[in-house]
Amino acid sequence: MLFLNIALTAGLAAVSIPIILHLLNRRSSKIIEWGAMRFLLDSVESRKRRIQLEEALLMAARCLLLALLALAVARPFIPPGSNVPWVVVLPCFLLGVATLAVAVVMWHEKHLRKWLFGATALLLGIAAASVAMEKYLNLKRFGTAGRRDIAIIIDGSASMALKQGTGGTTNFDLALKEAEKIIADAGSGTAFSLILGAPVPQAKIPSPVVNRADLREALNSLRPVNGRMASFDCLSLAAQSLLQGSNPGKQIIVLTDAQDVGWDLDRTARWEALKQGFDTNFKSKPELIIRQFSLPTSVRNAGIAGVKYSRNVIGTDRPVTIEVTVQNTGNEGVTPSAVELKIDDETLTDSSISQLLPGSSETVRFLHQFKKPGAHVLTAKLAVEDDLAADNSWDTIAEVTNKLKVLIIDGNPSVPFMQRAGSFTALALAPGSLARSVVKVDDQKGGFARDMVDPEVMPVTRLQTLDSFGPYDVVVLCDVARLAPSNARMLAGFVEAGGGLLIAPGRQAAADFYNDWRAGDGHAVLPVRLLKQTLLPETADPVKASLTTFSHEALRLVADAKQSDLSGLIFTRFWKLADTVAGDPGVYVGGRLTSGDPFLASRKLGQGTVLLSAASLDGDGSNLVTRQAFLPLVHEIIYHLAAPGGQRLNQEPAYVLNVPLSRARLASGLKGEYFPSDKITSPILVRNDPRIEFNWNDQPAAPGGPADNFCVRWTGSLVPKYTEEYTFQAEADDGLELWIGDEQILGPKRRRDRIDLVGGQPVPVRAVYHEGGGNASVKLYWQSQSQRRQIIPGDCLLPFAPGSEEGFENAGGTFDAIGPDQQARSVDLVYTRTGTLARLTDTVVPGLYQITLPEARRAEFAGLLTPAGTLPFTVIPDASEGRLKPLADDAFALINKYLPTSRPRSVEDVLAILQGRQFGEELWKYLAVGALFLLLAEIALSRWIALQRQSSGGAALDFESRYQPDQKFQAAVDRLSRVG
């Protein structure tokens, strides 16, 4: 417990006034020996203790009354996180005053006097020591001379750009001014760190500094961003910055409009972890000071709430519907004049939007067909005059693909074409292919649209000749009985690396093979087990599709019974599937039959996805292929398997933003390091090479490097397909050395050119190429009993060591990216287990980013470049920021549960807290109420004592004459006379 007006504690001396008056009223009396009055002293002895008790109670009440009044004037307060609770300090002090008053009254009671004065000294000593200890532990941090570190968090969310009143300043400007005043008026020994609150908080001054010029420069560079403030992340970052400071005192100041988005108060585990971190890392928990700016009472605001595409995979073969959602987040009606959608250099406009009432939203749809593959920048703009301009624009990237390669493995290729299991699937994926095969005309001249999906049907009997599934995006097994072990292992690895697999079992499917099929990590490939085939008799009730259960993303388009004819789908033969595997979060049943059996089950396997259908995709056992919905159903399944994550170039905010640049594929190839001399020194280029197959002739192997006298080192892992002996050969000008594990296979120190390898088990591989002069070329081959001689394919190579968990071993270079604020940022290209990533760690804010790649690197990402040749991506803003709802009082109470919190109403109050003049919870109100009740009690006690003394007449006295016999004598005479 501390005092705001500590000088006024001198008023406690008033406690001595009743004591002094009591002592003055104690008059000395002269003792007269009067035998007749001795019995009077004996008569009042019984009243002595009661009178002392009455005087002690009155003295204690009067002293406590004056003590409470003096304390109330001195304004005691309790610092948050107090080490000494006030319920110890106040009771000890007040009990000490009471015992002192009683001790003075009981002065003549020697056996009680020493105990009372001893208790007084003990209680007052405990109270004084507690206050002194509290001052040493807490007040030192907040006094004007105390050294402290302060982390200032300035809310940079979009709502802070709202102006206060017509023509007024914004809350963000007010926050900057108050932050500057706090920095200027704080003590010279105070150090500050500075954090901009954003979706990803930015530490502008990461560790506390005392240089005011640096702090002012950092303040002047701050700008609000389009999005919310991740408040919890800001507090975590502030704690990290305070730990870097050397001063004993710690505080966090948040200048904010306290929007309720971004605080994540419902995620109690995060707050408990933050509290535990504060308790562990700080000797005295920092106080959280929240300076809240008021939000405007009347807000006129409408904004873009999001942009969506009608399908995840967008091609050049057909138009795509682009949905732009507009919402009114203010408290006034708004009528936008138009919604504009800019696609590259083309602008589409829709003026049909009507008035938006507060809280309402409307979706505008644009139909557009992209003409070229690659990344296309789309900007949706809302033409409206409102109070918040930040949310009137939304950037997004549409990744348009030219071709999806689908491999359809047909399990019964010997029957006529229209009876084969994969024929209907191939025709559904590329209906134009049948017309072209019949009409025999050129695509462009004949007017046929080129199909985005490029299906290839392969008989299961030819599967052994396939070297790799790498060229394909999706593989479909149509009524395949079983796969050879090498093909099954290779296909499972394809899915783990990010490929898509659809299994449509027919009457030939072998349940034992599929149920025992395992991936490299031991997980089952199938989402659920195949139980048995069900063949319904003609007299049985038909089994249909239960469209109300079609919740899977690939089924939603055909789930509407009013728009889809799948309600007439009838099954006479299907596989009965087990239900969801308990405890496996990767398994999901996304649709059922009317019998309750699963119709479509899904699971994540590594980086890829497996879908299992209960029925085949042909005319055997159902009328599925006769439904009009069959074509969109097959397309949606393939689109989902090819791009389960949707449009990958649009990412949520994150401290470390990883934008996938390869379509969900495990990084293949080897890490290539290019050196400018024949010695391995510092590489001039590090990249991921898909395989060792190069013919540079007389050109440099690396941009900017020499054409002669250089070397290249490739490292990573080799994954063989079969368990057998392999032979390695090289065609190199000038020379290639190869190590498998620790053994040299090619080169001057080789002992042999063959080695035994285990199928599916990675082994370390290292190759070094040396070029002396002339033309330069190199090719690396392998061969085994089951493997024909070929250049080692990329999907049998991994650019990291076996067992490496980091996965970030290959540096692809650092390039500049222009962000939404037109500032350049550094973006790293890295090669990981899940493919190539663009990694941004520098001031991630919502908006559009465009990476400028050198000409030599553009071919590597040709499918992701804009027409201007840049590599774009976006960080998605939070549309909820526009809903202007401040934190409620119970939310602040919850925050105070985890961190001691105060809420000053002005910057002067903030400075008062920093200077120790106003801090924590004041107690004067409680003391004043206590004094009032004590005053009433003292009046009542005085009146009661007075009444008692008036009503008490004392002991009855009976005086008799000395000339008359006493009563006993008279009684004896009377008794003798009667006897006589």
Side-chain angles (χ1 to χ4, degrees):
M1 185 179 73
L2 304 173
F3 298 91
L4 293 179
N5 302 322
I6 193 169
L8 295 182
T9 55
L12 292 173
V15 174
S16 62
I17 295 177
I19 297 176
I20 295 174
L21 292 176
H22 174 78
L23 295 176
L24 291 177
N25 288 331
R26 292 179 59 191
R27 301 175 180 176
S28 300
S29 58
K30 184 177 180 181
I31 300 176
I32 300 176
E33 292 293 337
W34 184 31
M37 294 298 294
R38 290 179 182 176
F39 76 97
L40 293 175
L41 296 177
D42 295 336
S43 67
V44 299
E45 184 66 25
S46 62
R47 301 181 57 202
K48 180 179 180 181
R49 294 189 180 278
R50 189 180 71 175
I51 294 174
Q52 284 183 331
L53 179 59
E54 293 172 349
E55 290 182 351
L57 289 176
L58 282 174
M59 181 67 72
R62 290 163 181 168
C63 290
L64 286 175
L65 175 62
L66 293 174
L68 287 174
L69 290 175
L71 288 175
V73 172
R75 296 179 65 186
F77 67 97
I78 305 302
S82 174
N83 295 279
V84 180
W86 65 276
V87 293
V88 172
V89 178
L90 277 182
C92 287
F93 177 77
L94 295 178
L95 285 175
V97 171
T99 54
L100 176 62
V102 173
V104 172
V105 174
M106 298 291 186
W107 180 263
H108 293 290
E109 303 291 337
K110 295 184 179 181
H111 62 287
L112 292 176
R113 182 173 61 191
K114 62 178 181 178
W115 290 106
L116 289 172
F117 278 108
T120 300
L122 177 62
L123 291 171
L124 294 180
I126 292 175
S130 299
V131 173
M133 183 172 59
E134 183 66 26
K135 181 176 181 179
Y136 175 76
L137 292 178
N138 274 44
L139 191 59
K140 184 178 180 180
R141 312 185 280 157
F142 311 111
T144 56
R147 295 181 298 110
R148 58 190 180 274
D149 297 320
I150 300 176
I152 297 181
I153 301 173
I154 296 182
D155 187 349
S157 61
S159 61
M160 289 287 286
L162 284 170
K163 293 184 178 180
Q164 294 287 359
T166 304
T169 60
T170 66
N171 280 335
F172 189 79
D173 293 332
L174 292 175
L176 294 180
K177 292 180 180 178
E178 293 198 4
E180 188 172 1
K181 183 174 179 60
I182 291 171
I183 292 172
D185 294 352
S188 59
T190 304
F192 291 92
S193 59
L194 186 61
I195 297 171
L196 177 64
V200 178
Q202 303 171 22
K204 295 298 184 179
I205 304 291
S207 58
V209 299
V210 296
N211 190 317
R212 277 17 183 193
D214 292 344
L215 291 166
R216 284 192 295 269
E217 181 180 356
L219 280 174
N220 293 332
S221 68
L222 298 184
R223 299 291 183 273
V225 300
N226 184 16
R228 65 176 185 172
M229 178 178 74
S231 305
F232 178 87
D233 296 333
C234 288
L235 295 177
S236 300
L237 187 59
Q240 296 176 21
S241 71
L242 291 178
L243 287 174
Q244 301 178 41
S246 58
N247 292 323
K250 309 289 183 181
Q251 283 174 296
I252 300 175
I253 300 176
V254 183
L255 305 174
T256 177
D257 59 9
Q259 276 248 64
D260 65 348
V261 296
W263 288 88
D264 295 335
L265 294 177
D266 56 334
R267 304 175 65 178
T268 56
R270 299 186 72 194
W271 286 90
E272 288 289 353
L274 181 66
K275 178 179 181 295
Q276 184 177 1
F278 272 60
D279 293 338
T280 303
N281 297 317
F282 294 96
K283 293 182 179 179
S284 183
K285 186 183 298 185
E287 185 215 6
L288 176 61
I289 303 172
I290 300 179
R291 166 71 175 105
Q292 182 180 0
F293 301 100
S294 61
L295 290 167
T297 56
S298 177
V299 179
R300 173 184 169 85
N301 183 59
I304 305 293
V307 178
K308 294 183 179 180
Y309 305 96
S310 58
R311 58 180 183 271
N312 285 342
V313 179
I314 303 174
T316 57
D317 60 330
R318 69 188 70 182
V320 61
T321 300
I322 305 168
E323 299 181 349
V324 180
T325 302
V326 181
Q327 66 178 359
N328 184 349
T329 59
N331 49 24
E332 296 182 10
V334 179
T335 305
S337 59
V339 177
E340 297 178 351
L341 181 65
K342 184 178 180 182
I343 306 174
D344 298 327
D345 296 329
E346 180 181 359
T347 301
L348 307 177
T349 303
D350 187 296
S351 303
S352 63
I353 193 167
S354 58
Q355 184 186 35
L356 293 173
L357 298 177
S360 64
S361 63
E362 189 170 334
T363 300
V364 178
R365 293 173 175 83
F366 297 90
L367 189 65
H368 181 75
Q369 183 167 358
F370 293 91
K371 299 178 181 179
K372 296 181 179 180
H376 297 263
V377 179
L378 281 68
T379 302
K381 290 186 177 181
L382 184 65
V384 66
E385 294 291 334
D386 59 7
D387 297 332
L388 187 61
D391 58 359
N392 292 341
S393 178
W394 188 290
D395 292 312
T396 183
I397 305 296
E399 182 186 345
V400 181
T401 183
N402 189 37
K403 194 69 64 178
L404 282 180
K405 292 186 67 64
V406 179
L407 178 62
I408 302 172
I409 302 175
D410 199 320
N412 53 354
S414 59
V415 299
F417 178 79
M418 298 306 295
Q419 297 179 17
R420 296 173 187 172
S423 298
F424 287 100
T425 303
L427 292 176
L429 291 175
S433 61
L434 178 60
R436 288 193 294 273
S437 65
V438 175
V439 182
K440 303 295 183 184
V441 295
D442 181 77
D443 290 347
Q444 300 299 325
K445 295 180 181 179
F448 292 101
R450 295 187 61 85
D451 298 311
M452 178 183 67
V453 181
D454 183 14
E456 177 185 346
V457 181
M458 177 179 290
V460 68
T461 54
R462 287 181 46 204
L463 196 57
Q464 288 287 350
T465 63
L466 186 67
D467 296 326
S468 171
F469 290 102
Y472 304 99
D473 296 285
V474 178
V475 176
V476 182
L477 299 182
C478 291
D479 196 14
V480 175
R482 60 179 67 244
L483 297 174
S486 59
N487 294 133
R489 184 170 55 248
M490 187 167 63
L491 184 54
F494 163 78
V495 178
E496 288 182 297
L501 174 61
L502 170 62
I503 303 173
R507 64 175 65 207
Q508 298 186 120
D512 59 337
F513 162 73
Y514 285 102
N515 292 336
D516 295 337
W517 191 5
R518 293 290 184 270
D521 58 1
H523 285 92
V525 173
L526 264 63
V528 295
R529 294 174 62 84
L530 294 176
L531 298 181
K532 64 178 181 179
Q533 286 195 69
T534 300
L535 179 61
L536 298 177
E538 295 182 0
T539 58
D541 292 334
V543 173
K544 298 183 178 182
S546 178
L547 298 185
T548 58
T549 66
F550 278 23
S551 58
H552 194 278
E553 182 179 349
L555 302 178
R556 290 174 185 168
L557 184 65
V558 297
D560 189 350
K562 296 180 180 180
Q563 301 180 5
S564 172
D565 61 351
L566 285 187
S567 58
L569 176 60
I570 298 176
F571 294 93
T572 58
R573 180 193 298 272
F574 61 91
W575 273 91
K576 189 174 183 62
L577 307 179
D579 221 317
T580 304
V581 178
D584 191 343
V587 175
Y588 170 55
V589 174
R592 296 182 181 273
L593 304 175
T594 53
S595 62
D597 297 306
F599 169 68
L600 188 73
S602 171
R603 79 163 302 156
K604 291 293 294 181
L605 185 65
Q607 301 298 320
T609 304
V610 180
L611 289 181
L612 173 63
S613 170
S616 59
L617 300 179
D618 54 26
D620 185 19
S622 73
N623 62 346
L624 177 60
V625 297
T626 67
R627 304 291 91 187
Q628 293 181 359
F630 176 67
L631 189 147
L633 172 64
V634 174
H635 274 83
E636 290 303 312
I637 289 176
I638 297 302
Y639 293 158
H640 172 76
L641 291 172
Q647 292 288 314
R648 53 185 163 150
L649 297 181
N650 302 299
Q651 296 289 314
E652 295 287 344
Y655 273 106
V656 179
L657 190 70
N658 291 315
V659 183
L661 302 181
S662 55
R663 172 70 75 179
R665 288 290 182 274
L666 181 68
S668 61
L670 295 173
K671 174 183 178 181
E673 299 172 281
Y674 292 75
F675 303 95
S677 66
D678 195 37
K679 296 181 179 180
I680 296 178
T681 54
S682 297
I684 59 174
L685 174 65
V686 179
R687 70 183 184 192
N688 188 73
D689 288 331
R691 57 187 176 273
I692 301 179
E693 183 187 13
F694 297 96
N695 188 8
W696 296 295
N697 293 322
D698 58 351
Q699 299 299 313
D708 297 315
N709 193 32
F710 66 87
C711 70
V712 184
R713 179 175 62 186
W714 291 281
T715 55
S717 300
L718 175 68
V719 186
K721 298 180 181 179
Y722 311 101
T723 301
E724 50 197 26
E725 186 181 58
Y726 285 80
T727 301
F728 294 85
Q729 297 175 349
E731 295 178 2
D733 183 2
D734 292 322
L736 180 72
E737 299 175 74
L738 176 67
W739 288 263
I740 304 295
D742 296 329
E743 184 173 354
Q744 188 174 47
I745 303 301
L746 299 178
K749 298 181 180 180
R750 71 171 185 174
R751 297 181 179 179
R752 52 177 178 165
D753 60 357
R754 60 188 61 196
I755 188 173
D756 291 327
L757 300 175
V758 179
Q761 180 174 322
V763 292
V765 62
R766 176 166 57 98
V768 179
Y769 168 78
H770 297 274
E771 161 62 9
N775 291 336
S777 64
V778 61
K779 296 179 181 179
L780 180 61
Y781 296 85
W782 68 350
Q783 184 178 0
S784 70
Q785 181 179 355
S786 303
Q787 176 68 63
R788 62 181 176 85
R789 185 179 183 270
Q790 64 173 177
I791 294 174
I792 302 177
D795 60 348
C796 293
L797 300 170
L798 301 176
F800 42 81
S804 172
E805 297 298 331
E806 297 181 1
F808 298 101
E809 296 188 3
N810 291 5
T814 301
F815 307 97
D816 287 337
I818 302 300
D821 53 5
Q822 303 305 310
Q823 299 295 319
R825 293 167 171 80
S826 295
V827 174
D828 296 324
L829 295 184
V830 294
Y831 301 99
T832 75
R833 286 183 175 273
T834 58
T836 307
L837 303 175
R839 176 175 296 169
L840 174 65
T841 58
D842 183 17
T843 59
V844 178
V845 297
L848 173 66
Y849 296 79
Q850 303 220 40
I851 305 173
T852 303
L853 295 173
E855 191 70 31
R857 300 298 301 271
R858 293 184 181 180
E860 185 179 351
F861 308 102
L864 298 176
L865 300 183
T866 65
T870 60
L871 180 59
F873 65 90
T874 66
V875 178
I876 303 172
D878 188 348
S880 62
E881 173 64 18
R883 300 187 182 97
L884 306 179
K885 181 181 178 182
L887 284 173
D889 290 340
D890 57 349
F892 284 105
L894 184 60
I895 296 173
N896 188 63
K897 173 183 175 183
Y898 300 104
L899 299 175
T901 305
S902 60
R903 298 169 59 190
R905 297 182 179 181
S906 66
V907 66
E908 287 75 18
D909 291 341
V910 175
L911 291 172
I913 294 175
L914 298 182
Q915 295 166 4
R917 293 183 286 107
Q918 183 177 351
F919 186 97
E921 181 183 4
E922 292 193 41
L923 303 177
W924 68 269
K925 295 179 181 179
Y926 307 109
L927 296 174
V929 172
L932 176 61
F933 279 103
L934 201 58
L935 176 61
L936 296 177
E938 192 274 341
I939 294 174
L941 182 62
S942 300
R943 180 61 177 166
W944 179 79
I945 292 174
L947 292 175
Q948 288 293 320
R949 292 183 179 180
Q950 289 177 4
S951 61
S952 176
L957 301 179
D958 185 13
F959 294 92
E960 63 180 14
S961 173
R962 67 174 59 186
Y963 302 106
Q964 295 179 354
D966 58 15
Q967 294 179 355
K968 292 181 180 180
F969 178 80
Q970 187 64 42
V973 172
D974 292 341
R975 185 171 58 254
L976 291 175
S977 62
R978 286 195 299 270
V979 172

